[in-house]
Amino acid sequence: QKEVEQNSGPLSVPEGAIASLNCTYSDRGSQSFFWYRQYSGKSPELIMFIYSNGDKEDGRFTAQLNKASQYVSLLIRDSQPSDSATYLCAVGQSRLYFGRGTQLTVWP
Amino acid sequence: DAGVTQSPTHLIKTRGQHVTLRCSPISGHKSVSWYQQVLGQGPQFIFQYYEKEERGRGNFPDRFSARQFPNYSSELNVNALLLGDSALYLCASSDRAFSGNTIYFGEGSWLTVV
């Protein structure tokens, strides 16, 4: 069974701060990694994907991948109250394995 | 452009009944996957269909079945409903058998079993 673990929340940060979300995975052969954002009562929305070791930046979001450590993270810079949501880490090829999610609250 | 559409959006069923959930993928997308998300958990993979053939099945009992139609829409059927089947059922659409960066989720069907 392939497992995806996310750091336990909830995570609370002030507006303008950096939010750091972490994820580890069990399958060393994993090739594709994704971060989804899920607002309460809504479906998951893809915000980042990363395939190669290193950093990938998209606006205020940076995904970091370290395959040797089987670790992937998401940094949100200049956090906004609208970033308050549950963030899901997913790993997979033809099917995705999700973590339980980390609930982020950004307070003004 | 229409996104992934699912129906019904909410439904309540009684234990032992069966339910059919429907999904229409984004136009041109040939792959449909189904996921179950129980409150407080991440989505769990149930099935993937590509070009009307089953390409993957998750660890769910045989009470769960699905199919894909010639127009690439899909149905998920669950028989003999249990209280534990209460969840958000998500349909995901993709233009290839695997393409994580282009997987789009519908808004889901909220199923409550009483």
Side-chain angles (χ1 to χ4, degrees):
Chain A
Q1 179 70 15
K2 299 177 182 178
E3 295 186 353
V4 178
E5 300 286 341
Q6 295 186 239
N7 55 325
S8 60
L11 178 64
S12 181
V13 300
E15 184 174 357
I18 295 175
S20 177
L21 304 161
N22 304 312
C23 173
T24 59
Y25 57 94
S26 64
D27 181 12
R28 186 169 289 278
S30 297
Q31 298 293 321
S32 306
F33 307 87
F34 311 90
W35 283 99
Y36 285 82
R37 176 176 62 199
Q38 187 171 28
Y39 292 113
S40 180
K42 300 294 186 181
S43 63
E45 173 192 11
L46 179 66
I47 53 172
M48 290 286 289
F49 61 90
I50 186 167
Y51 300 147
S52 303
N53 275 330
D55 295 358
K56 179 180 180 181
E57 187 174 316
D58 184 1
R60 296 186 296 111
F61 298 96
T62 299
Q64 299 174 316
L65 175 61
N66 184 326
K67 290 186 178 180
S69 300
Q70 295 176 241
Y71 175 90
V72 59
S73 65
L74 179 70
L75 299 178
I76 306 175
R77 291 182 301 281
D78 188 25
S79 296
Q80 301 296 310
S82 59
D83 295 326
S84 298
T86 296
Y87 288 80
L88 296 163
C89 172
V91 177
Q93 294 276 348
S94 59
R95 58 183 282 185
L96 297 181
Y97 295 86
F98 284 83
R100 295 183 63 169
T102 299
Q103 185 177 343
L104 171 67
T105 300
V106 180
W107 45 276
Chain B
D1 287 344
V4 181
T5 58
Q6 292 187 242
S7 64
T9 54
H10 294 80
L11 68 166
I12 300 173
K13 291 286 189 178
T14 304
R15 278 177 297 175
Q17 287 187 315
H18 74 273
V19 66
T20 297
L21 307 178
R22 296 178 175 85
C23 172
S24 292
I26 293 170
S27 178
H29 284 195
K30 299 179 180 179
S31 175
V32 170
S33 298
W34 288 95
Y35 288 79
Q36 180 197 63
Q37 187 176 22
V38 174
L39 196 64
Q41 305 282 337
Q44 276 198 293
F45 174 80
I46 310 176
F47 288 108
Q48 183 196 18
Y49 278 79
Y50 181 72
E51 286 281 19
K52 293 156 283 184
E53 292 188 3
E54 182 181 304
R55 294 299 183 99
R57 172 186 286 255
N59 188 25
F60 280 81
D62 291 343
R63 299 185 297 107
F64 288 77
S65 63
R67 55 180 175 168
Q68 187 176 32
F69 299 100
N71 66 353
Y72 303 108
S73 66
S74 178
E75 281 183 356
L76 175 70
N77 293 282
V78 186
N79 294 323
L81 286 167
L82 303 174
L83 294 180
D85 295 331
S86 296
L88 174 65
Y89 287 85
L90 295 161
C91 176
S93 166
S94 175
D95 60 351
R96 296 190 283 276
F98 166 69
S99 151
N101 55 315
T102 58
I103 287 181
Y104 299 94
F105 283 97
E107 290 302 313
S109 294
W110 291 92
L111 171 65
T112 301
V113 182
V114 298

